[in-house]
Amino acid sequence: MASNKLSAQDKKDLDKFTKFLALKSAQIIVQSRLGEKINTKCNPETSGQDWFNLAINDLPEVLAQAKSAMTNGGSRLPLCVEISLRTVEGDMMILETWCVGVSPEITDPSVRVTYTVYNRMGILLKSLVSVTRVTPAYKLSRRQGPDSYVICYRIYVGEPQLHSLGEGYNQVRVGQLSTPVGTIHLSVAYRTKMTISPQPSKETSIMLKSDHFRTDFSPKYTRSNNSDEISSSLSETIKMGAFAEGMKNCVGGNGRTADDDLSDMPFMSLLTNGKPSMPPASPPDPPQTLHHTDNSPASQEDSDNGNLTPTCPSVTSHDDFIMVDLKTPFAGSNANTDLGLFYRECQSAPPLQGVNARERTVAEQVGDLTRQLEAFETSLREYDRVITELCHVDNNN
């Protein structure tokens, strides 16, 4: 029958079937991009809520978005579901666009609305469930996460916006069915080039100051001007305490200033930014050596024990390290023990033999070679015996 000959009930049923077909299509598409597997149990006892004999639970948010788009758009079809990818940096890329539309030019007046059209809509939705799992966006949705990217959707009524899919996108017809008022078709267009092109935005624009390109305000110019201040002495950077006099004017009892004390600090050269430390104002004290005389009681006691008398090496105010030889507890009476000899041998590196060795003459080298040949000839019988034993062992094996 023709469209104008449809009964009021058939026209009402067809309109309702088409509405729920679009709503269920949006649910299937969005739920397939959640990034998780969906398991539904069969319901042997169907009710009025189970449309098209499919156990698809409706998400309230998706249902509200779809109804709002169909209400505000003026007409229900074509209904488009746009799937996009959004990175943590804020970049966005459209992956695919699904469309449920109707072509009023092609009709089938003989088809029955209540049974035939309704059952074919169920088959079309089952095909949609399968096709949503084979497009590239499905694999991306399974890998989404809060640290990398998330999958978003947008539902709107109108012609699909395919220009945002980039060049070389593919378009596939999922299925179609004929009705007395037109042919309902379900299609998808998806991206093939997965390359994100950063979009300029006001939030990410660079703020330029009026003196941005002035050379005298550049960081390089500032660092070069402040190099002298950074390389100043350490004494100028030390904070003064309360009621303390200036460090440059403070002189101790021995006539030394605070700068002289800082110059005597160990590793002072590492704290002055590579500048050599200034020599002290006053000459250093002469080196002093601590020793015991031979007639002293301490020396007599050491000789009885057989231990060496420790002496302190000359120490100046500029030495960073001081080495003191200590007595070894429970040491033996003999100073030339193995431990003492080993310590003295390892205390300094041995001289290189190649530098101090005298070059041998040709006659000496020939003489050594002659003596080695004579020794080999003398032991010739011993070598023959060893070879005979080895051959005998090989024959027995």
Side-chain angles (χ1 to χ4, degrees):
M1 64 186 141
S3 175
N4 51 5
K5 295 182 180 179
L6 280 176
S7 62
Q9 184 64 33
D10 290 342
K11 190 175 182 179
K12 181 180 179 180
D13 292 341
L14 182 59
D15 189 33
K16 181 171 62 176
F17 296 161
T18 305
K19 172 185 174 182
F20 281 98
L21 174 67
L23 294 177
K24 287 296 181 181
S25 299
Q27 292 286 343
I28 293 174
I29 296 170
V30 174
Q31 292 182 20
S32 65
R33 302 297 181 257
L34 296 179
E36 57 186 12
K37 294 183 178 180
I38 300 176
N39 297 323
T40 56
K41 296 182 180 180
C42 296
N43 187 9
E45 298 179 359
T46 60
S47 61
Q49 302 295 330
D50 300 328
W51 284 91
F52 309 107
N53 296 325
L54 292 177
I56 300 176
N57 299 324
D58 294 337
L59 297 178
E61 180 183 358
V62 179
L63 183 60
Q65 292 286 340
K67 288 184 177 180
S68 176
M70 297 173 67
T71 302
N72 299 332
S75 61
R76 296 177 178 177
L77 299 179
L79 181 68
C80 298
V81 181
E82 184 182 84
I83 303 299
S84 60
L85 180 146
R86 185 183 298 274
T87 63
V88 293
E89 293 82 7
D91 297 331
M92 185 176 178
M93 179 175 62
I94 307 300
L95 298 179
E96 57 188 6
T97 300
W98 301 81
C99 180
V100 181
V102 59
S103 300
E105 299 86 7
I106 305 175
T107 61
D108 188 1
S110 61
V111 68
R112 299 181 59 182
V113 175
T114 306
Y115 300 101
T116 306
V117 173
Y118 181 81
N119 293 333
R120 289 178 181 178
M121 286 183 177
I123 297 175
L124 182 60
L125 291 177
K126 294 176 184 178
S127 301
L128 179 61
V129 173
S130 302
V131 175
T132 52
R133 269 72 178 176
V134 298
T135 56
Y138 176 73
K139 183 181 293 185
L140 292 175
S141 66
R142 297 297 303 273
R143 298 176 181 176
Q144 64 179 320
D147 299 333
S148 55
Y149 61 88
V150 294
I151 302 297
C152 306
Y153 72 96
R154 183 171 70 96
I155 302 176
Y156 62 92
V157 173
E159 294 298 326
Q161 302 174 7
L162 305 180
H163 63 278
S164 57
L165 297 177
E167 299 179 357
Y169 66 89
N170 291 339
Q171 193 168 3
V172 178
R173 177 68 63 90
V174 179
Q176 64 182 18
L177 60 93
S178 299
T179 65
V181 296
T183 301
I184 300 175
H185 56 84
L186 181 58
S187 61
V188 58
Y190 59 90
R191 175 186 292 268
T192 58
K193 296 181 180 180
M194 301 299 175
T195 303
I196 297 179
S197 299
Q199 300 294 333
S201 59
K202 297 182 179 179
E203 292 77 6
T204 59
S205 59
I206 301 176
M207 301 298 295
L208 300 179
K209 300 186 299 180
S210 59
D211 57 351
H212 183 78
F213 295 102
R214 292 179 60 183
T215 58
D216 53 345
F217 286 91
S218 63
K220 182 178 179 181
Y221 182 82
T222 305
R223 287 195 300 267
S224 63
N225 289 343
N226 295 337
S227 59
D228 296 336
E229 299 178 2
I230 296 175
S231 61
S232 59
S233 61
L234 181 63
S235 60
E236 298 178 0
T237 61
I238 298 178
K239 296 181 179 180
M240 299 297 299
F243 308 104
E245 299 181 359
M247 295 190 63
K248 293 186 178 180
N249 300 327
C250 181
V251 181
N254 56 357
R256 296 171 58 85
T257 62
D259 293 338
D260 298 335
D261 296 336
L262 290 176
S263 64
D264 294 341
M265 293 175 58
F267 308 107
M268 185 60 187
S269 60
L270 301 179
L271 302 177
T272 56
N273 296 328
K275 286 190 174 183
S277 59
M278 299 298 295
S282 60
D285 297 335
Q288 299 179 358
T289 304
L290 303 179
H291 63 277
H292 295 284
T293 60
D294 295 339
N295 298 330
S296 62
S299 176
Q300 183 67 24
E301 183 180 356
D302 293 340
S303 62
D304 295 340
N305 293 335
N307 296 333
L308 298 177
T309 302
T311 59
C312 182
S314 60
V315 180
T316 63
S317 60
H318 297 281
D319 290 337
D320 293 338
F321 301 98
I322 300 175
M323 178 178 178
V324 180
D325 296 333
L326 299 178
K327 293 183 180 180
T328 305
F330 309 104
S333 60
N334 185 9
N336 297 324
T337 57
D338 295 339
L339 180 60
L341 293 175
F342 175 76
Y343 176 76
R344 283 192 291 273
E345 291 177 358
C346 298
Q347 189 174 8
S348 61
L352 297 177
Q353 297 294 337
V355 177
N356 299 328
R358 182 178 60 86
E359 295 184 0
R360 301 177 62 188
T361 62
V362 178
E364 292 177 352
Q365 296 179 5
V366 173
D368 292 343
L369 184 59
T370 303
R371 286 190 296 271
Q372 292 180 5
L373 292 176
E374 292 176 356
F376 292 156
E377 291 177 357
T378 304
S379 304
L380 184 59
R381 294 182 179 179
E382 184 68 21
Y383 296 153
D384 293 339
R385 185 182 61 80
V386 174
I387 294 175
T388 304
E389 291 179 357
L390 292 176
C391 295
H392 181 69
V393 173
D394 294 339
N395 293 333
N396 293 336
N397 294 336

